[in-house]
Short mmCIF file of all heavy atoms in Angstrom, two decimals:
data_model
loop_
_atom_site.label_atom_id
_atom_site.label_comp_id
_atom_site.label_asym_id
_atom_site.label_seq_id
_atom_site.Cartn_x
_atom_site.Cartn_y
_atom_site.Cartn_z
N VAL A 41 -20.92 51.52 42.82
CA VAL A 41 -19.65 51.86 43.46
C VAL A 41 -19.76 53.25 44.08
O VAL A 41 -19.37 53.46 45.24
CB VAL A 41 -18.48 51.81 42.44
CG1 VAL A 41 -17.20 52.36 43.07
CG2 VAL A 41 -18.26 50.39 41.94
N ASP A 66 -46.94 38.24 36.47
CA ASP A 66 -47.15 37.92 35.05
C ASP A 66 -47.83 39.07 34.32
O ASP A 66 -48.10 38.96 33.13
CB ASP A 66 -48.05 36.69 34.93
CG ASP A 66 -47.23 35.42 34.81
OD1 ASP A 66 -46.05 35.54 34.41
OD2 ASP A 66 -47.76 34.35 35.12
N ALA A 75 -39.52 50.07 36.99
CA ALA A 75 -38.16 49.54 37.23
C ALA A 75 -38.15 48.70 38.50
O ALA A 75 -37.12 48.17 38.89
CB ALA A 75 -37.17 50.69 37.36
N GLU A 330 -66.92 48.56 45.96
CA GLU A 330 -66.98 47.47 46.96
C GLU A 330 -66.16 46.30 46.45
O GLU A 330 -66.33 45.88 45.31
CB GLU A 330 -68.44 47.02 47.17
CG GLU A 330 -69.29 48.01 47.94
CD GLU A 330 -68.74 48.28 49.35
OE1 GLU A 330 -68.27 47.33 50.00
OE2 GLU A 330 -68.78 49.45 49.78
N PRO A 332 -64.70 42.26 46.86
CA PRO A 332 -64.90 40.97 47.54
C PRO A 332 -63.67 40.63 48.39
O PRO A 332 -62.58 41.08 48.10
CB PRO A 332 -65.03 39.98 46.38
CG PRO A 332 -64.25 40.60 45.25
CD PRO A 332 -64.37 42.09 45.43
N ARG A 366 -44.33 52.22 48.41
CA ARG A 366 -44.77 50.82 48.43
C ARG A 366 -45.02 50.32 49.85
O ARG A 366 -44.63 49.22 50.22
CB ARG A 366 -43.75 49.94 47.70
CG ARG A 366 -43.63 50.28 46.21
CD ARG A 366 -42.37 49.71 45.60
NE ARG A 366 -41.22 50.25 46.28
CZ ARG A 366 -40.20 49.54 46.76
NH1 ARG A 366 -40.17 48.25 46.61
NH2 ARG A 366 -39.20 50.13 47.37
N ARG A 432 -19.93 43.52 62.43
CA ARG A 432 -20.36 43.10 63.76
C ARG A 432 -19.90 44.08 64.83
O ARG A 432 -20.67 44.47 65.72
CB ARG A 432 -19.80 41.70 64.01
CG ARG A 432 -20.22 40.98 65.23
CD ARG A 432 -19.69 39.55 65.24
NE ARG A 432 -20.41 38.70 64.30
CZ ARG A 432 -21.65 38.24 64.47
NH1 ARG A 432 -22.32 38.56 65.57
NH2 ARG A 432 -22.23 37.48 63.58
#
Side-chain angles (χ1 to χ4, degrees):
Chain A
V41 172
D66 266 338
E330 288 300 321
R366 296 163 300 131
R432 187 174 286 287

